[in-house]
Amino acid sequence: VAHVVIVGGSDAGTEAALRARELDPSAEITMFVADEFVNYSVCGLPFLASGEVADWRDLAHRDLREITGRGIEVRLGHRVHAVAIDQQHVETAGPTASAKVAFDRLILATGATAVRPAVPGIELPGVFALHSMGDGIALRRWLDERSPRRVLVVGTGYIGVEIADALVRRGIEVTLVGRAPTILSSIDPDLGDLVRAELERGGVRCLTTAALRRIEPGSDGLRAAVGDGHLDVDGVVVGAGVVPDVDLARDAGIEIGATGAIQVSRQMVTSAPAVLAAGDCAETWHAMLGRPSWLPLGTTSHKQGRVAGENAVGGEATFGGSIGTQVVKVFNVAAARTGLADDDARAAGFEPIAATTVTPDHKPYYPGSSELTIRVTADRESGRLLGMQIVGHWQAEVAKRIDVAATAIQTGLSVADLLRLDLSYTPPVSAPWDPIQQAARSWLGTAG
Ligand SMILES: Cc1cc2nc3c(=O)[nH]c(=O)nc-3n(C[C@H](O)[C@H](O)[C@H](O)COP(=O)(O)OP(=O)(O)OC[C@H]3O[C@@H](n4cnc5c(N)ncnc54)[C@H](O)[C@@H]3O)c2cc1C
């Protein structure tokens, strides 16, 4: 393949470029990036806001020279504003000139855009999003310069709770508001309540089933109408979800899937055979449901990018799929999930049974033990493990334990199989039966 053009230079775009280069030393590879930031870890933005990460430059996965040093041409500040499929070129606008650039293979990695609630005042100064590097740098600058005392955070998903944690670390009084009845709707409500308790322990005021209605300039900052009341705050940070950025693809006549993201095969090829897509702009093959879904995550974006990069230079890679494995840390608690929750499992034709176990993360006689709450969801008939959720201390191996469950689910293991796994043990970190094996035993007890 002579020329691979990539639109987007974040997780998916950069991964695609590097993989294409690795497999094809002679292909010309050009990456167009609308902003000035190539290959930064946007997942680290909450930690830039809190100050745990000192400088935004520290978030670079790789620096620009490392990428260009591999013979990848990177055009920062160049937005692609049109794709001509039949003519196989893109139209770009840079700081000084516009151009038409021909491609043999095109990879769309345009990501997602942050949802801004459609309420009056959402454009006022002092209202921030936290999605792009530019957003993160602007928020950090405001926090450093303004030293706000009270901030409203909108959105009770994982980004909202990460922002709330970050602001509390700076000594800010935080109110967290969301329309959903619970915190973190990606986990079951009773586990979400554990996260809420941790937020409240940390001093965050949580308002659920409450919508942001309006923002107005106040006497000294902003006045936000939330639910039935009003809050006077110095600023508002919105983490209310994302939607796939598909404008370029749609305008080019590329099929958009029922999920709203770009329709792709498991080879990451779109409805136009010379155009691939990867990352948050593209659909995610769900390995358990056996159909496309949309799970915009850094983990998925990197894997899809690698597949797209490989296939753009003649490879035959297939995206393995996602099962919705995720973890988030809030103060001292980590909340993790993988696989299907009960409702999804039922909708997928399983007959799920769930059992919840509360157990120490390691032998309590060794200092520092804490409780893990583990929910196991499995199919009544076959015993097949369908999902797991864990909430506990972030240093209690919550994430690695969910990863064992994810591995078990992806390899089709049953709950009984979990008991046969040879897992490690020493009293400071586990028990002879690891907590997830104890949870498996109680599921077997419940299921009879
Ligand atoms: C605050 C925050 C925390 C997160 N934490 C986690 C986490 O802990 N774990 C996890 O797995 N995921 C996390 N994510 C999600 C993860 O960051 C995204 O899934 C991932 O960055 C998506 O990568 P992407 O390359 O698809 O798109 P994006 O990162 O959205 O990048 C899109 C790229 O396309 C460029 N672009 C867009 N349109 C054009 C155009 N027309 N022309 C040229 N360039 C264009 C942009 O400039 C950018 O370079 C987090 C996200 C945020 C915002």
Side-chain angles (χ1 to χ4, degrees), residues 7-13 32-35 42-43 45-46 78-80 109-112 130-131 158-159 162 245 248 278-280 296-299 301:
V7 189
S10 184
D11 292 350
F32 290 102
V33 187
D35 58 20
V42 284
C43 305
L45 289 177
H78 279 71
R79 177 169 287 278
V80 170
T110 49
L130 191 63
H131 180 68
Y158 79 93
I159 292 179
E162 285 185 343
D245 184 345
L248 208 52
D280 285 2
L297 284 171
T299 47
S301 298

Side-chain angles (χ1 to χ4, degrees), residues 43-124:
C43 305
L45 289 177
F47 315 107
L48 178 69
S50 68
E52 290 158 283
V53 173
D55 189 292
W56 62 266
R57 293 167 196 86
D58 298 338
L59 293 179
H61 285 303
R62 287 177 195 78
D63 69 17
L64 177 61
R65 261 179 312 175
E66 194 181 334
I67 299 167
T68 55
R70 296 197 202 176
I72 295 164
E73 176 149 1
V74 180
R75 305 259 184 93
L76 296 178
H78 279 71
R79 177 169 287 278
V80 170
H81 56 80
V83 176
I85 305 274
D86 294 340
Q87 297 87 338
Q88 298 210 178
H89 69 241
V90 296
E91 293 172 23
T92 75
T96 52
S98 300
K100 284 185 184 161
V101 179
F103 63 80
D104 297 292
R105 288 287 180 278
L106 176 69
I107 301 175
L108 297 174
T110 49
T113 42
V115 172
R116 290 211 138 208
V119 299
I122 198 77
E123 305 296 341
L124 283 172

Side-chain angles (χ1 to χ4, degrees), residues 125-163:
V127 181
F128 297 88
L130 191 63
H131 180 68
S132 64
M133 282 302 294
D135 294 337
I137 293 168
L139 176 62
R140 171 66 182 265
R141 186 175 302 134
W142 180 76
L143 292 167
D144 288 346
E145 287 172 2
R146 171 79 197 255
S147 299
R149 286 188 303 112
R150 296 155 308 172
V151 171
L152 173 67
V153 177
V154 181
T156 49
Y158 79 93
I159 292 179
V161 301
E162 285 185 343
I163 297 169

Side-chain angles (χ1 to χ4, degrees), residues 67-335:
I67 299 167
T68 55
R70 296 197 202 176
I72 295 164
E73 176 149 1
V74 180
R75 305 259 184 93
L76 296 178
H78 279 71
R79 177 169 287 278
V80 170
H81 56 80
V83 176
I85 305 274
D86 294 340
Q87 297 87 338
Q88 298 210 178
H89 69 241
V90 296
E91 293 172 23
T92 75
T96 52
S98 300
K100 284 185 184 161
V101 179
F103 63 80
D104 297 292
R105 288 287 180 278
L106 176 69
I107 301 175
L108 297 174
T110 49
T113 42
V115 172
R116 290 211 138 208
V119 299
I122 198 77
E123 305 296 341
L124 283 172
V127 181
F128 297 88
L130 191 63
H131 180 68
S132 64
M133 282 302 294
D135 294 337
I137 293 168
L139 176 62
R140 171 66 182 265
R141 186 175 302 134
W142 180 76
L143 292 167
D144 288 346
E145 287 172 2
R146 171 79 197 255
S147 299
R149 286 188 303 112
R150 296 155 308 172
V151 171
L152 173 67
V153 177
V154 181
T156 49
Y158 79 93
I159 292 179
V161 301
E162 285 185 343
I163 297 169
D165 170 327
L167 298 180
V168 167
R169 276 170 208 276
R170 300 184 67 113
I172 297 170
E173 213 177 279
V174 176
T175 302
L176 179 66
V177 61
R179 276 193 299 216
T182 56
I183 302 283
L184 281 186
S185 51
S186 54
I187 56 176
D188 288 346
D190 50 333
L191 276 79
D193 286 346
L194 299 173
V195 177
R196 181 187 189 128
E198 179 67 1
L199 282 161
E200 289 173 344
R201 193 197 57 77
V204 176
R205 189 169 154 225
C206 298
L207 302 176
T208 43
T209 330
L212 172 69
R213 291 184 290 111
R214 190 171 56 251
I215 307 171
E216 298 166 345
S219 50
D220 175 29
L222 298 172
R223 172 158 254 234
V226 174
D228 304 333
H230 285 91
L231 287 171
D232 289 313
V233 291
D234 301 314
V236 177
V237 187
V238 179
V242 290
V243 288
D245 184 345
V246 300
D247 291 353
L248 208 52
R250 181 186 286 125
D251 292 350
I254 290 168
E255 290 290 331
I256 307 300
T259 63
I262 301 171
Q263 197 180 87
V264 283
S265 66
R266 290 182 68 189
Q267 289 66 45
M268 308 313 298
V269 178
T270 70
S271 60
V275 182
L276 299 94
D280 285 2
C281 65
E283 292 194 320
T284 317
W285 179 255
H286 198 295
M288 295 182 78
L289 301 177
R291 60 168 163 77
S293 61
W294 189 56
L295 295 162
L297 284 171
T299 47
T300 307
S301 298
H302 279 98
K303 293 183 188 89
Q304 291 186 337
R306 183 179 164 92
V307 170
E310 185 159 340
N311 293 346
V313 292
E316 289 178 356
T318 299
F319 173 54
S322 167
I323 58 168
T325 310
Q326 263 183 277
V327 62
V328 61
K329 173 182 172 295
V330 187
F331 300 120
N332 283 329
V333 158

